[in-house]
Structures are given as structure tokens and as C-alpha cells.
Amino acid sequence: MTLRPGGTDAPDTPAGNRSPLITLAAVAVALAAVAGAATLGGDAGAAASAADAERAPVERSTLVCPQPGTAESAATRYTAFTPGGAGDAEGASGLSPLTEHTPGAGFDPDEDSDADSDADGGGDEDADEDADGDEESGDDASETDADDRLLAGDLPGVPVTDTVDGPDAPALAGTADGALAPGWTVQQTTLVRDAADGRGLLGTACQRPDTAFWFAGASSAEARADYVHLTNPDDGATVVDIDLFGPEGRLAPIVEEGITVPGGTTVRVRLTTLTEATEDALGVHVVARTGRIGAQIQAVDTAEGADWLAPVTAPDGPVVLPGIPADAESVRLVAFTPGESDITARIGFAGPTSTITPADNETVHLRAGMVESVALDTVVQGEAGSLVLTPEGGTTGPIVAALLVTREEDGEREFAFLPATAPITEQSTAAGNVPGNAELILTAAGEDDAEVEITTSAGDEGGEATTDTLTVPAGTTVAWAPESAEDIEGRYALTVRRTGGGMLHAARVLTEDRDDVPMFTVQTLPDDLSSVSVPRTSPDLGVLGR
């Protein structure tokens, strides 16, 4: 038997004695059999590969940081960090300044968008296409040469820091790729010393750009000056809608038009320019019509300090709000449901030993679209903890909630916000810690203990990384500070990894006493989404029969 050029085995017979029709029929039958078998096996293989999906590190991360403010007495400290060891993998990270854009009073968003797009050589349609293209490709307006980037890093596990004094710190946007992408985080902490400037410790983790955000705890009261910071990291302009909700529902806007945010810029919008209503507690919904943005709210109170209000990252109940410090003077819950049905939620305080129901505040009833504000000062009795809202009676729907927490010493007050946050499924990192002034608050709100591994990085000026393990009992909260921080020089990072057990929620509390003012800020720690699910693939010859 000889293997012929066509790739088929046939006996050595004279060509005149072979039938081409018979040969073609045999080949067709053989292909059909192979294709049929591949189809049956292929579908089964596809199902198996979906079930056998593996986690793989992300290859690119994008972050935006809001403009810290315009206070002359401000000092803004930045810390960038990617967890892990240096290894042999390559990568790079860094951020670039964005331009502040100030729309004129009564401006026309469409007209403004045309002007910005024309300046770039295209109209609105081109801008939208650019925005979509940037989202697909990862290109954005913050892309510059590596040498021009701020907080540029090239090694995981090494904090990169910078400090900007005065009112000139800009909004930032940037990317990390390769080995620097998984878990890349940037902490922005601003110390404002002068009460006239809104003194306080304002902290926020720079955020991933997205299309929509929910907030609870903003205010249009006379004592407050709250600004929504909208940051557009991409090249194309976008229009943003901001809806405000009060105790009686959605507030009537002064102007119905959206707010244009040109590409590569940041826009500050004071809430009192959006509504004539004066409300102590507001819910806020921010939506980008095209592209993606960053959105955070800077809140300044003339008597009680200032801080950043971050968006809620877990609106579905049960809702966990971690990070209440042990010395909290007052705690106020601001919550609402943007759904169409009312929700009654049971209130629980997860403390060091168990979850308790506060006296006289067993439940909170949330009317659809209407903001509720509840004082919970009796919740904290000298113990750190977290608030847990659990819907009752089979009610379901989103819950947008945050806590306004105040510390006080000798009549001087300072506040911070704790928004509802998603659990840590794998890991999360809090950067910008200062030795002796940082504490983690870890809560296992479910029915199972949570197993935790915490890595304390070296400081940007010296020290060695250390790792600790602990167990958070079910229904309790553990307050933890690294003992090794005494040997760390400079700013460092804390990486929290859930290694087993039940749900884990976490927050980091930074404290700093200046001029007898008990300044503090709290950042919740949702999962850093440093890995993605990648299904296994295999050849599928079934396509031949489809």
C-alpha cells in the first residue's frame, strides 16, 4: 500500500481500474463521519471547558484620580502599588495630569461638545467613535511617554510615592500593564490644615472608570459644599447626567441638560448648581451617555471637616458597610432604594464578638426612590465594627447606602464616609499607609469564618515585607494593625487576601491628629479584580459539519 499525494491510502491498481465516483463518495463519507463525531464531542468539550475555566491575571488596568481641590494649605500625598514579587515579568505603570474644564453658566452641552470635538478635528460622531474605540483598545488621553508619567513604576511589591503641596495638584489618569496591572492601586490622601479651606484629612483610592455610579450621603445644606468630580480619561468627549434624590424622591433639576466633559479633562460640579432644594442627605446617580468616566464627590463642612465620598460598589442586599472606628462619636446612615418597590432592612452591627441589633433601630424602611437618614449613635460602644443591612420579608432590590461617621476631641470634629462595598473574593490592597496611623477593619458578615492573609509591604524608604494570617469569626469584626510597621520607613501598602471560608468585607482607617483635630479617613476595600475568568479552549472539528 502506497500513500498517494492526495493523502489517502489506496491499493496499487491501475488508474483505469479505479472509479473516481467511488473514491469521492468514500472521502465524503469519511469526512461526514469525522465531522459528526467532532460535533458531538465538540459540544461536550465546550461545556467542559466552560466549567473548567481558569483565573488569569489582568494584563492592563486603568485608574483615574480626582483633582484634590484648590486649598492653599493642602498637601496631597500619592502612593502607587502593585502587590506581588518582582520576578522576571515585565510591566510599567504611571499617571498623567488632566486639564480642568469649566463649562460656562447655561452652556449648551451639544454646542460645547461640538467645539471640543472640532478642536480635535471631528464632530460628535467622531468623538463617540473615539470613545468606543478607546474602550476597546485601552487607549486614552492619559497616554504619554513613560518618562513623562507621574508615579511611574516598573516593579510589583514596591511602593511609588509623590507629594504635591498647595492647590496645584491636578486630576490624574493612567494605566498599568504587564506585571504591574494585576491589583494596581493608587491612594490619594490630602491634608488641609486651614479651616477656611475646609480643613481635614481627605482620602480616596483612585478608581476604575465606568459608565454609572450611585452615591449616598451627599448634601446641599448651607453648611456643606459638595462637588461631583467628573473625570474623562479618554480622547472623546462625553455628556454626563446627574440625578439627585431627597426624602421625597427625585429632585427637580435647575437645568435638564447634561454636563459635557471633554476628553482628557476633569469637571467639578457643585450640587447646589443642580437643584434649588436644600437637603441634609442626598442620593446621587451619575451616568455617562457615552464612553466611561470617573466620579467621586468631595464634601466640605464648615464645622466638621472634609472628605471624599466614594460610590457604592455593592448595591444588592445584604449590604455591608465596614470601617466604623472604635472611637466614633456619631454614626448616621443614609440609604435609599432606586428600585420600584419599598424595602425593609434589618440593621445589624458586627462587632468583636457577634452581630447585634441596635436598640430602637432594629430596622430601616426604605421607600422607593426616597432617601432615609437615621442616627445610629448608640451603635458604637468603644468597639470597631461594621454595619450590616439585611432585607426582610422576601423583599429584594438594590440598596444604596453609606455612613457618615464623626470623631471628636475637645470640641474639634472631623467626619468620614463609609459606602456599602463589595466583598473581597480574592484580594484587595490599601496603599498610602503611615506607620502607627493605619488600621484594617475586617468583617465576616456571613455564617462562616473567613480565613485571611495580610501582606505588609516594605516602605518606600525602607523595611521588609511581612505576611500575617488570621481568622475572622463568622458574624464578627476584627480590627488589625501590623506590628511590623514599626520597622517600616515611609509609606507602605497592606494587601488583604481571602484564603478560605466565608464572605470577607474590609476597610482601612487612616488617622492623623493635627492641631488637636482628630482627622481621619476611611477607604473600603472591594475586590481589586486583578484576575479574570478565562475558559479553556480546544480544537473543535465540528465546524466542518455546521
Side-chain angles (χ1 to χ4, degrees):
M1 185 177 290
T2 303
L3 182 65
R4 300 194 180 277
T8 59
D9 290 328
D12 255 339
T13 56
N17 294 336
R18 296 204 314 267
S19 170
L21 292 176
I22 295 176
T23 302
L24 288 174
V27 171
V29 170
L31 282 175
V34 171
T39 300
L40 292 174
D43 289 341
S49 64
D52 296 338
E54 296 180 344
R55 305 293 297 181
V58 299
E59 298 180 354
R60 185 180 178 89
S61 296
T62 299
L63 294 176
V64 294
C65 310
Q67 184 180 11
T70 58
E72 292 289 342
S73 63
T76 301
R77 303 185 292 258
Y78 297 95
T79 306
F81 183 80
T82 297
D88 298 326
E90 297 182 353
S93 64
L95 299 121
S96 301
L98 301 180
T99 303
E100 182 178 7
H101 175 70
T102 306
F107 72 101
D108 183 340
D110 296 329
E111 193 175 289
D112 202 41
S113 180
D114 289 341
D116 291 315
S117 299
D118 289 343
D120 294 333
D124 286 341
E125 185 175 350
D126 294 334
D128 291 345
E129 289 177 358
D130 287 343
D132 293 338
D134 290 340
E135 192 169 7
E136 297 262 341
S137 66
D139 295 335
D140 54 55
S142 65
E143 294 292 342
T144 59
D145 293 337
D147 294 341
D148 298 330
R149 286 186 161 193
L150 305 176
L151 297 167
D154 54 14
L155 290 175
V158 179
V160 180
T161 65
D162 197 2
T163 300
V164 179
D165 292 325
D168 298 328
L172 302 172
T175 59
D177 55 33
L180 271 293
W184 183 49
T185 184
V186 179
Q187 171 70 18
Q188 172 182 302
T189 305
T190 302
L191 174 65
V192 180
R193 301 179 180 87
D194 193 339
D197 292 334
R199 62 108 180 96
L201 190 67
L202 297 84
T204 183
C206 299
Q207 65 185 167
R208 297 178 187 85
D210 208 338
T211 58
F213 305 87
W214 285 100
F215 300 85
S219 176
S220 59
E222 292 183 2
R224 286 270 289 271
D226 286 17
Y227 288 83
V228 180
H229 286 241
L230 307 172
T231 307
N232 183 357
D234 298 320
D235 291 331
T238 186
V239 176
V240 178
D241 296 313
I242 302 177
D243 289 322
L244 304 181
F245 297 84
E248 300 302 324
R250 182 175 181 267
L251 302 180
I254 294 177
V255 180
E256 289 287 353
E257 288 83 358
I259 298 164
T260 295
V261 186
T265 71
T266 186
V267 173
R268 295 191 306 147
V269 182
R270 186 163 179 171
L271 293 187
T272 52
T273 66
L274 302 177
T275 180
E276 295 178 346
T278 301
E279 299 291 352
D280 290 332
L282 294 174
V284 182
H285 190 206
V286 178
V287 179
R289 297 183 189 176
T290 60
R292 54 183 186 164
I293 59 167
Q296 300 207 40
I297 296 177
Q298 188 179 38
V300 178
D301 188 288
T302 54
E304 298 191 353
D307 208 349
W308 287 101
L309 172 57
V312 167
T313 58
D316 293 329
V319 171
V320 181
L321 302 92
I324 303 173
D327 60 351
E329 178 70 19
S330 66
V331 178
R332 177 169 290 275
L333 170 67
V334 179
F336 73 106
T337 173
E340 298 180 355
S341 302
D342 295 357
I343 295 178
T344 298
R346 186 173 70 255
I347 298 175
F349 176 76
T353 58
S354 63
T355 297
I356 63 172
T357 299
D360 301 324
N361 290 119
E362 292 83 1
T363 62
V364 58
H365 182 69
L366 305 178
R367 297 171 295 167
M370 301 181 184
V371 176
E372 294 291 336
S373 179
V374 182
L376 300 173
D377 297 349
T378 59
V379 164
V380 183
Q381 301 293 331
E383 298 176 334
S386 301
L387 200 73
V388 182
L389 302 178
T390 306
E392 287 189 331
T395 57
T396 59
I399 297 177
V400 178
L403 296 177
L404 175 59
V405 180
T406 304
R407 297 173 72 216
E408 182 175 354
E409 184 175 331
D410 298 330
E412 296 289 346
R413 297 169 66 88
E414 163 78 330
F415 69 65
F417 295 98
L418 283 64
T421 187
I424 298 176
T425 55
E426 293 186 17
Q427 71 171 21
S428 186
T429 298
N433 303 291
V434 179
N437 289 2
E439 181 180 58
L440 290 175
I441 297 181
L442 310 169
T443 298
E447 299 179 353
D448 299 316
D449 298 351
E451 304 297 329
V452 184
E453 178 184 275
I454 304 172
T455 299
T456 305
S457 78
D460 68 301
E461 298 177 2
E464 296 183 359
T466 59
T467 299
D468 296 271
T469 59
L470 57 91
T471 298
V472 182
T476 72
T477 293
V478 171
W480 185 91
E483 295 181 0
S484 59
E486 298 177 359
D487 300 322
I488 293 176
E489 298 179 10
R491 285 171 252 161
Y492 65 94
L494 291 167
T495 299
V496 181
R497 294 184 178 88
R498 174 184 164 275
T499 56
M503 287 194 307
L504 174 69
H505 291 79
R508 187 273 313 275
V509 180
L510 284 178
T511 58
E512 187 163 342
D513 291 338
R514 288 292 184 106
D515 302 324
D516 298 325
V517 178
M519 298 182 181
F520 76 118
T521 182
V522 182
Q523 279 75 61
T524 54
L525 302 177
D527 194 88
D528 62 16
L529 305 178
S530 58
S531 64
V532 293
S533 179
V534 180
R536 293 181 181 178
T537 59
S538 59
D540 182 7
L541 295 179
V543 296
L544 297 175
R546 295 175 188 166

